[in-house]
Amino acid sequence: MNAKQTLVVIGNGMVGQHFLTTLVNSGASRQYDIVTFCEETRPAYDRVHLSEYFSGKSAKDLSLVEDGFFEREGIEIHLGDRAVKIDQVQRLVHSAKGLAIRYDKVVLATGSYPFVPPIPGHDREQCLVYRTIEDLEAITECAKNARVGVVVGGGLLGLEAAKALTDLGLQTHVVEFAPRLMAVQLDDGGGAMLRKKIEALGVTVHTSKNTGNIAEGERHALKMEFADGETLETDLILFSAGIRPRDDIARHSGLEVGPRGGIVIDDECKTSNPDIYAIGECALWNGRIFGLVAPGYTMARAVVANLTGKAERFQGADMSTKLKLMGVDVASIGDAHAQSQGALVYTYQNDSDEVYKRLVVSADKKRLLGAVLVGDASAYSTLLQYCLNGIELPDNPDSLILPARSGESAGLGPDALPASAQICSCHDVSKGQICQAIENGCTSVPALKNGTKAGTGCGGCVPLLKSVLDCELKKAGIEVNTDICEHFPYSRQDLYNLVIVEEIKTFHELLDKHGRGRGCEICRQAVGSILASYWNEYILKKEHIGLQDTNDIFLANMQKDGSYSVVPRVPGGEITPDQLIALGGVAKKYRLYSKITGGQRVDLFGARVEQLPAIWQELIDAGFESGHAYGKSLRTVKSCVGSTWCRFGVDDSVGLAIELENRYKGLRAPHKIKFAVSGCTRECAEAQGKDIGVIATEGGWNLYVCGNGGMKPRHADLFATNLDKETLIKYIDRVLIFYVRTADRLQRTSVWMENMEGGLDYLRAVVIDDKLGICEQLEAQMRHVVATYQCEWKTTVQDEQKLKRFRHFVNSDRPDDNILFVEERGQVRPANESEREQHRSNEEALA
């Protein structure tokens, strides 16, 4: 006799799968024969990151189900079959394919469907929705014959959908009925800043637009006719105007639903039938539908607790949100619209940096009620903890969003959080649980993820999780973990040593031997830098290309309008008239904006990606090489004219600068490197503000190290004096390779030395006194780098296969229509938005 009850779970989306895994982990699954229905042909996948499907992730990558999960746990899953009715009298669940499953308990996790406004013409062939992987495949197919795409809806999902269209290479518009983007989460100021940043990415935003009709277009497939009389033509329309709860099975089965939809549930997530539960976006609690995944997870946990005899209730959910929409940081916390009685508002807006922040605080300025962050959401975790835990605000609440006042810390350390503070909202993990897990031996972020599930949902809490971990380890006197990421249990220096000792030449070889998983943006680029700095191979080789960022992939710096800059090397700043003419000829031919840089080079701006190979072919023919302006590598060696021309000059600074630049060009490093050589102590080349600075004196060359400009300028330190050239170069060789080997990822030379125990004295001991006995090894590595140098652009233009990468659209040779220039002071510059709008109006008038 089977003593088990039968539990039917209807829906295998994110919430349905979370319910199943929670039930399995609780051990309660052993009490049930579990049957689940999934109307899609594949089990649960990550809808939150659906847009990543367009940037290369597969359906398998997005899957939320471990291989063999259902078989291992004895769960019967019916893919491609939809449960259509629950017979409450016979206690049977009927499916569309004719199955009838007798049940003891039912959990409805049917989710929601995209709302399509009943606009005449909404059912035309090119009108699509954005919800499932099948929807993405339909969008991809439609986009093959499209140039323009429109997203109806400027909310979270709408902007994700807009990113999908831009990834497909379409000229993209967003049409929003409300007067601003993300009207639910953002105030007017935040919405305006978000719009500005989204439009700067080439997406045209139309707010306060009511679409009255969708008709056949004249120049494109469709024409949207708005209530204000304006029209917009497009080749496809994506509806992302909100969601509606999937409650049809509840309606057909006689369960109570809300007047505007949604399956009515109580605090235990029970429907009007106590043996039937509803969780996620199909459920209506207290008259409210929750459109985020975290509340659905909380409901799932409440039902699991109820099934195991525990009294856990769903009591609503925090709807705070932090996202990166099209590369733009956006966050909203609590009462973002200041609707609370007596609420006070602090606002910080920086148009120059395109940052908007707003705090909503209580009348007594003691409690944080809400916040909006656009452009910089780094304070999200801190503000969320203030809000959720009622932590008393500092005397100046605006210090939480303003640039730091002198000597004032606006941060909220992990120690200030109570044990009850929720760290992970997706899995409801508190600081107390994190601390307990650390005490039990979880001393790394991956271990905490495995042990507590924190950080395995949307991932937004991982920085705070790491902060709590570091704080607790320090208090316990345990060394803080320095792993480069969760895929490698090593620091960057460890990985460098492994590459050297084991002669590892590819990322996958290193991952197979010493890592786990598939890697991430952090470890891939760090390992790419290590391999490039040690082996000095062509970085666009097939096995290395996936490790590079956008600039390295296209061997050029991407600019704000999507065009690229071209920066040929000019060693020491010395350039012949013929080379100047060649540069001018290229700039004139391709209509490039030209500027002399602070590093004595000529930047050429405004090249489209498909123009880069032709431009570089002409520059190479004229004798130029890649300037590596796109890489973490040697940029320039600046110099004065030295003793050759200057009446104060002591030595040949130009000759030495050229020699040094040619010696170290192409050297890959944890951060960019700059040199300067001055011909006398008048210091016209500003050598004491560089990573490596050399100044001529009567007694020889003085060497300065570890200075930098940038956001935190640092004066270089005098390292050695009165050196002959041979010794000078030997010391530079050693310093640079020692830095490349031992610095952390993205660590400048200044920070590297300051963090070194013993600082400058230790560095002298290693480089000059050979304290570690590695100087010969350091010099040998530099000799290898110098001997294997290649101009990456010269290699690229000689390879037809590599040149295929240089085009804007994957499936077309068409240029990017969004790049638009206007003339100013006799040269081109990117058009601003009003100029773009005028251009569009002119085109439409001519059409």
Side-chain angles (χ1 to χ4, degrees), residues 492 496 525-534 536 539 548-549 552 628 630-635 664-675 691 735-749 752 782 785 792:
R492 183 188 181 279
Y496 197 103
Q525 293 182 18
V527 172
S529 171
I530 291 169
L531 295 173
S533 60
Y534 188 71
N536 210 25
I539 65 166
Q548 315 304 327
D549 65 14
D552 279 310
H628 288 93
Y630 46 84
K632 297 290 183 286
S633 53
L634 176 71
R635 298 291 176 83
Y664 303 114
K665 60 188 177 186
L667 173 65
R668 296 281 172 163
H671 209 290
K672 63 185 176 185
I673 305 169
K674 293 184 178 180
F675 280 36
D691 299 277
V735 169
L736 286 179
I737 291 295
F738 191 50
Y739 162 64
V740 168
R741 264 196 190 190
T742 60
D744 286 338
R745 170 179 165 270
L746 299 179
Q747 192 174 47
R748 303 196 75 143
T749 55
W752 166 68
M782 185 60 81
V785 170
E792 288 162 352

Side-chain angles (χ1 to χ4, degrees), residues 240-319:
S240 186
I243 59 167
R244 295 292 183 271
R246 286 283 303 277
D247 57 11
D248 48 335
I249 188 171
R251 292 176 186 274
H252 295 154
S253 306
L255 296 171
E256 183 183 358
V257 297
R260 299 180 62 185
I263 307 168
V264 175
I265 61 170
D266 62 13
D267 290 354
E268 293 181 333
C269 299
K270 291 178 178 174
T271 67
S272 51
N273 182 330
D275 288 327
I276 302 176
Y277 300 82
I279 56 177
E281 293 174 347
C282 66
L284 181 71
W285 177 84
N286 245 6
R288 188 176 180 189
I289 296 288
F290 294 90
L292 296 177
V293 70
Y297 285 1
T298 306
M299 292 178 187
R301 291 191 292 272
V303 173
V304 170
N306 190 281
L307 291 175
T308 55
K310 298 174 183 173
E312 185 169 325
R313 293 175 176 271
F314 177 73
Q315 297 177 315
D318 172 58
M319 296 295 283

Side-chain angles (χ1 to χ4, degrees), residues 95-379:
S95 80
K97 290 185 177 178
L99 290 176
I101 308 294
R102 187 172 300 280
Y103 72 83
D104 294 289
K105 303 286 183 183
V106 173
V107 175
L108 290 163
T110 50
S112 62
Y113 63 91
F115 170 62
V116 177
I119 304 166
H122 72 272
D123 52 355
R124 287 179 178 272
E125 192 174 344
Q126 296 88 353
C127 294
L128 306 167
V129 296
Y130 182 83
R131 178 69 177 172
T132 67
I133 287 181
E134 282 69 26
D135 293 335
L136 305 191
E137 291 169 347
I139 293 166
T140 304
E141 189 61 29
C142 188
K144 289 179 180 175
N145 300 309
R147 290 181 53 212
V148 181
V150 172
V151 175
V152 176
L156 293 172
L157 285 176
L159 295 177
E160 279 290 321
K163 180 179 187 307
L165 294 189
T166 57
D167 286 345
L168 288 169
L170 271 61
Q171 180 185 331
T172 303
H173 298 255
V174 172
V175 173
E176 168 59 44
F177 180 77
R180 63 179 179 273
L181 296 174
M182 291 182 65
V184 175
Q185 293 87 2
L186 302 182
D187 66 320
D188 286 341
M193 185 61 77
L194 177 60
R195 175 176 183 154
K196 182 179 178 182
K197 296 176 80 71
I198 294 291
E199 289 185 329
L201 298 172
V203 176
T204 305
V205 177
H206 311 261
T207 51
S208 301
K209 285 290 184 187
N210 181 9
T211 308
N213 188 43
I214 299 173
E216 185 174 336
E218 296 168 6
R219 288 172 290 114
H220 298 278
L222 303 168
K223 179 166 68 176
M224 302 177 73
E225 297 171 349
F226 301 119
D228 60 8
E230 293 188 355
T231 62
L232 175 62
E233 295 221 1
T234 179
D235 296 307
L236 74 88
I237 296 174
L238 273 188
F239 285 104
S240 186
I243 59 167
R244 295 292 183 271
R246 286 283 303 277
D247 57 11
D248 48 335
I249 188 171
R251 292 176 186 274
H252 295 154
S253 306
L255 296 171
E256 183 183 358
V257 297
R260 299 180 62 185
I263 307 168
V264 175
I265 61 170
D266 62 13
D267 290 354
E268 293 181 333
C269 299
K270 291 178 178 174
T271 67
S272 51
N273 182 330
D275 288 327
I276 302 176
Y277 300 82
I279 56 177
E281 293 174 347
C282 66
L284 181 71
W285 177 84
N286 245 6
R288 188 176 180 189
I289 296 288
F290 294 90
L292 296 177
V293 70
Y297 285 1
T298 306
M299 292 178 187
R301 291 191 292 272
V303 173
V304 170
N306 190 281
L307 291 175
T308 55
K310 298 174 183 173
E312 185 169 325
R313 293 175 176 271
F314 177 73
Q315 297 177 315
D318 172 58
M319 296 295 283
S320 300
T321 307
K322 175 176 177 286
L323 293 168
K324 188 178 278 291
L325 295 168
M326 304 183 71
V328 180
D329 283 325
V330 181
S332 173
I333 295 172
D335 181 13
H337 297 287
Q339 295 174 331
S340 305
Q341 183 72 29
L344 301 175
V345 173
Y346 295 90
T347 303
Y348 170 71
Q349 183 163 341
N350 183 334
D351 285 336
S352 174
D353 294 338
E354 298 187 341
V355 171
Y356 177 87
K357 300 180 181 180
R358 168 185 164 104
L359 286 187
V360 180
V361 305
S362 59
D364 61 2
K365 299 193 288 186
K366 299 292 186 186
R367 297 286 180 266
L368 181 66
L369 303 176
V372 172
L373 306 169
V374 178
D376 176 10
S378 56

Side-chain angles (χ1 to χ4, degrees), residues 402-702:
L402 291 173
R405 293 182 171 95
S406 178
E408 182 177 0
S409 173
L412 176 67
D415 257 354
L417 298 177
S420 60
Q422 187 186 58
I423 303 299
C424 174
S425 59
C426 290
H427 294 281
D428 189 26
V429 184
S430 68
K431 178 190 169 187
Q433 291 170 291
I434 299 290
C435 293
Q436 185 62 53
I438 295 170
E439 193 174 321
N440 292 341
C442 295
T443 56
S444 67
V445 170
L448 282 175
K449 284 183 173 181
N450 287 331
T452 67
K453 295 292 182 187
T456 60
C458 69
C461 66
V462 171
L464 183 58
L465 181 68
K466 179 76 165 56
S467 176
V468 172
L469 172 65
D470 290 351
C471 180
E472 293 303 307
L473 291 180
K474 284 179 181 174
K475 285 195 296 187
I478 300 173
E479 187 177 354
V480 173
N481 185 292
T482 58
D483 295 353
I484 195 165
C485 70
E486 65 187 78
H487 302 103
F488 285 101
Y490 300 100
S491 67
R492 183 188 181 279
Q493 184 178 353
D494 294 333
L495 292 179
Y496 197 103
N497 292 335
L498 289 171
V499 166
I500 293 175
V501 173
E502 300 184 19
E503 298 192 344
I504 293 172
K505 291 196 170 183
T506 69
F507 175 79
H508 289 296
E509 187 182 353
L510 186 64
L511 189 68
D512 289 343
K513 288 185 175 180
H514 300 287
R516 53 179 170 258
R518 291 188 286 267
C520 62
E521 289 183 3
I522 293 173
C523 63
R524 282 179 171 275
Q525 293 182 18
V527 172
S529 171
I530 291 169
L531 295 173
S533 60
Y534 188 71
W535 296 110
N536 210 25
E537 293 183 335
Y538 177 47
I539 65 166
L540 297 188
K541 282 180 70 173
K542 184 178 178 181
E543 55 268 39
H544 299 325
I545 186 77
L547 310 180
Q548 315 304 327
D549 65 14
T550 300
N551 286 348
D552 279 310
I553 287 173
F554 294 106
L555 304 177
N557 278 345
M558 178 185 274
Q559 303 300 324
K560 61 188 293 183
D561 64 339
S563 64
Y564 291 84
S565 59
V566 174
V567 190
R569 187 170 296 286
V570 181
E574 185 177 84
I575 188 166
T576 67
D578 284 343
Q579 286 178 315
L580 279 173
I581 290 169
L583 278 181
V586 167
K588 190 172 183 180
K589 179 177 178 180
Y590 294 95
R591 298 193 69 224
L592 304 177
Y593 170 84
S594 309
K595 187 179 187 309
I596 307 295
T597 74
Q600 296 181 163
R601 300 196 290 196
V602 180
D603 278 5
L604 305 176
F605 289 84
R608 297 196 306 271
V609 65
E610 75 276 6
Q611 293 177 316
L612 290 172
I615 290 172
W616 272 105
Q617 182 64 69
E618 293 190 32
L619 293 174
I620 289 166
D621 291 344
F624 288 101
E625 293 180 327
S626 168
H628 288 93
Y630 46 84
K632 297 290 183 286
S633 53
L634 176 71
R635 298 291 176 83
T636 62
V637 180
K638 190 176 179 180
S639 73
C640 61
V641 295
S643 58
T644 309
W645 290 92
C646 178
R647 57 198 173 99
F648 301 108
V650 175
D651 212 330
D652 179 15
S653 57
V654 177
L656 180 60
I658 293 171
E659 185 173 348
L660 293 177
E661 186 157 347
N662 283 326
R663 182 171 181 81
Y664 303 114
K665 60 188 177 186
L667 173 65
R668 296 281 172 163
H671 209 290
K672 63 185 176 185
I673 305 169
K674 293 184 178 180
F675 280 36
V677 182
S678 281
C680 73
T681 53
R682 297 170 75 88
E683 248 287 68
C684 293
E686 300 164 328
Q688 295 174 77
K690 307 296 183 188
D691 299 277
I692 300 292
V694 181
I695 299 175
T697 70
E698 295 292 346
W701 298 103
N702 284 358

